[in-house]
Amino acid sequence: MRKICLITGASTGIGAATARLAAVEGYDLALTYRSEAAAMAKVAEACEAAGAQVLVCQADVAQPSDIEALYEAIDDRFGRLDALVNNAGIVDQAVKVTALTHDRLRRMFDVNVIGAMLVAKEAVIRMQRQGTGGSLVNISSAAARLGSANQYVDYAASKAAIDIFTKGLADEVALDNIRVNAVRPGLIETDIHAKGGEPGRAQRLAPMVPMQRTGSATEVARAVLYLLSDAASYVTGTTLDVTGGR
Ligand code: NDP
């Protein structure tokens, strides 16, 4: 039987690469996007071509009603959930802490922290009800331990919150056979850098990486698929750096 996996923010970047790989590895998929409907359709098509059943939902994770509607759609279509990749996330323009505004901080934490926590909560409720265990992977960032001074300390702090949420939730649901882990990507070639105002950011910083290169979304996706899988059956509450050594 194919397992059901929800991937948030699957229209582009790491989420899209994870969806494509998960389809090949035998998951049926619930995929979400916020604004990139055309890109989402292409990813869904590729996943179906790889043999997956695919449910696509538009959902802003900063809107609790969208999360509710998303899970109603998953319940209707699949009636169960085995895996979650909690990937949807944002950065913002590079500024110093002295330039941070209340509006920016609210948005950053609404999407990256509160949204991710509510999405995880609903997944755990279903997995506990099913009684068959499950696996969650939260997408954190190397920023969670680097701090991102002079760029986006708010983003780094939101991802640090995800790291400790991962540990706390993992401990809480360990006896339900639900594993919760995080992946911390480093400098990965996706559109997120352009959205933060600097398309060439990953390339510019690549010399700071011990491996002297950026990573690809697929390299992150492979780590996510490992943590989701039974190959990681004794791995929970941990964070896996996919950073080229940075
Ligand atoms: P992308 O910008 O390519 O992808 C982000 C995804 O999240 C898109 O599918 C986007 O949807 C979705 N999204 C954004 N805001 C919301 C929202 N409010 N509600 C629901 N979905 C939303 O970036 P990446 O693939 O790089 O980022 C994926 C994750 O990886 C993020 O959590 C990011 O913080 C993390 N990460 C990335 C790194 C990198 O170097 N690329 C490094 C470390 C961590 P849509 O486009 O449809 O609006």
Side-chain angles (χ1 to χ4, degrees):
M1 196 187 71
R2 292 175 74 99
K3 289 184 174 177
I4 313 298
C5 179
L6 165 61
I7 304 173
T8 62
S11 50
T12 58
I14 292 167
T18 304
R20 288 170 190 267
L21 201 57
V24 170
E25 295 205 358
Y27 291 89
D28 286 335
L29 297 166
L31 305 177
T32 79
Y33 69 102
R34 188 194 49 177
S35 56
E36 299 289 335
M40 183 73 270
K42 274 192 190 160
V43 173
E45 203 177 301
C47 293
E48 282 168 350
Q53 290 204 43
V54 180
L55 167 71
V56 170
C57 293
Q58 198 274 339
D60 181 342
V61 297
Q63 300 294 334
S65 56
D66 281 14
I67 296 175
E68 214 172 289
L70 163 65
Y71 275 98
E72 273 172 23
I74 292 171
D75 292 344
D76 285 353
R77 173 72 181 269
F78 296 117
R80 63 178 292 111
L81 188 67
D82 304 290
L84 166 66
V85 183
N86 217 348
N87 167 76
I90 53 168
V91 291
D92 208 321
Q93 309 288 313
V95 294
K96 290 184 189 287
V97 170
T98 47
L100 290 175
T101 62
H102 184 261
D103 280 355
R104 169 169 164 153
L105 287 167
R106 282 256 37 139
R107 180 167 167 268
M108 187 67 68
F109 280 78
D110 278 350
V111 175
N112 287 4
V113 182
I114 298 175
M117 289 176 75
L118 290 176
V119 169
K121 169 194 152 177
E122 293 299 328
V124 164
I125 287 171
R126 281 154 183 79
M127 289 169 185
Q128 285 177 330
R129 199 161 57 207
Q130 289 160 202
T132 48
S135 182
L136 278 64
V137 176
N138 297 320
I139 304 301
S140 173
S141 170
R145 55 178 170 69
L146 295 171
S148 302
N150 303 312
Q151 299 174 70
Y152 20 69
V153 170
D154 53 343
Y155 171 80
S158 76
K159 292 300 187 177
I162 288 301
D163 283 2
I164 202 63
F165 172 61
T166 299
K167 171 62 178 155
L169 179 60
D171 289 359
E172 201 167 297
V173 299
L175 288 181
D176 298 316
N177 197 26
I178 299 170
R179 296 182 299 101
V180 186
N181 293 289
V183 166
R184 285 201 201 114
L187 295 167
I188 309 301
E189 296 285 0
T190 73
D191 294 345
I192 204 167
H193 308 289
K195 291 172 190 171
E198 191 190 347
R201 178 175 176 273
Q203 285 297 342
R204 176 172 65 80
L205 296 176
M208 296 169 68
V209 178
M211 288 179 76
Q212 296 273 297
R213 68 168 177 87
T214 57
S216 72
T218 301
E219 288 177 302
V220 180
R222 288 195 196 107
V224 173
L225 265 294
Y226 158 69
L227 288 171
L228 285 184
S229 77
D230 290 342
S233 57
Y234 199 50
V235 182
T236 196
T238 197
T239 50
L240 175 55
D241 285 1
V242 183
T243 60
R246 186 165 176 238

